[in-house]
Amino acid sequence: MTTNATTNATPWEPPLAGTEVEHLVGALERLRTTFRWKADGLDSAGLQQRVGASTLTIGGLLKHLASCEDYTFTHKLRGEPIGAPWDATGWDGTNDWEFQSASDDSPEQLYALYDGAVDRSRERLTAALADGGLDQLIHVSMPDGTRANLRRLVFDFVEEYGRHTGHTDLLREAIDGRVGEDPPEGWTATSGSFRLPA
């Protein structure tokens, strides 16, 4: 099965019989792409729409997952500072600032934050996998000093995306009725600069 976006109508689909790395990264890419499809093409009103008593919005989820991408693959992976654009905000990954502040951002800013963070994370994860694989120990540790490995970090991140992609399912259906498990064949983003998995 090819994963080249130019020859595969569903490049986000994980392999049917791949390696552990291919399946794990494939699951993450499928969730990233499904989330981005659910969030795609909305104006400010759509990005800020809420359902019931919940304060969640797709705009808030875009900004939250953008911050999670950068925080996970800088600080958690290597212990490095989160860097731009987050360092200028004073955000340290410990509160809900990204959810609350998203209403101040334009659609262009939110899509750029998310799409840029995904690009950076892909590069960092690819480099980490080439430099020690899933068994390597990473910066994140338990209070007793026991460090996690890269496998645990990526599995946890797949779980993070699974939760928030489910939230986005409900929000998007309420906005305009868009439903579905995966993007349709041949989908590409109409907003921002999201790149499909290579």
Side-chain angles (χ1 to χ4, degrees):
M1 171 184 265
T2 181
T3 58
N4 186 320
T6 61
T7 59
N8 183 352
T10 59
W12 52 83
E13 183 71 26
L16 292 177
T19 65
E20 181 184 17
V21 168
E22 289 169 336
H23 281 285
L24 190 53
V25 173
L28 176 57
E29 289 293 2
R30 181 181 188 182
L31 284 166
R32 279 177 174 150
T33 304
T34 300
F35 168 77
R36 190 55 175 79
W37 168 59
K38 296 285 183 172
D40 194 36
L42 293 171
D43 61 12
S44 291
L47 288 170
Q48 300 312 317
Q49 185 166 324
R50 298 176 178 183
V51 173
S54 174
T55 60
L56 279 179
T57 65
I58 291 179
L61 288 166
L62 276 164
K63 195 167 188 176
H64 171 68
L65 284 171
S67 66
C68 287
E69 289 273 5
D70 277 328
Y71 189 71
T72 297
F73 292 106
T74 56
H75 181 72
K76 286 185 173 183
L77 177 62
R78 299 282 186 225
E80 298 168 358
I82 191 168
W86 312 105
D87 52 357
T89 67
W91 179 77
D92 65 0
T94 61
N95 59 33
D96 289 338
W97 166 83
E98 67 277 24
F99 287 112
Q100 297 161 357
S101 66
S103 62
D104 299 330
D105 299 319
S106 69
E108 293 78 17
Q109 290 170 311
L110 291 169
Y111 289 122
L113 276 173
Y114 179 81
D115 295 344
V118 169
D119 286 344
R120 290 186 293 275
S121 292
R122 284 174 173 158
E123 290 173 11
R124 292 168 181 149
L125 178 56
T126 298
L129 288 167
D131 187 35
L134 293 173
D135 290 327
Q136 70 183 283
L137 297 180
I138 61 170
H139 175 72
V140 167
S141 64
M142 298 299 289
D144 68 359
T146 304
R147 291 167 54 200
N149 63 21
L150 182 57
R151 178 182 290 102
R152 172 64 187 263
L153 183 78
V154 179
F155 268 107
D156 284 356
F157 207 52
V158 167
E159 186 272 335
E160 179 84 13
Y161 259 98
R163 179 180 341 115
H164 293 316
T165 301
H167 293 144
T168 308
D169 277 336
L170 296 172
L171 289 163
R172 187 61 188 246
E173 184 175 6
I175 292 167
D176 63 7
R178 178 176 288 184
V179 295
E181 183 178 341
D182 290 309
E185 287 190 8
W187 174 81
T188 58
T190 61
S191 54
S193 60
F194 183 76
R195 293 182 301 115
L196 294 173

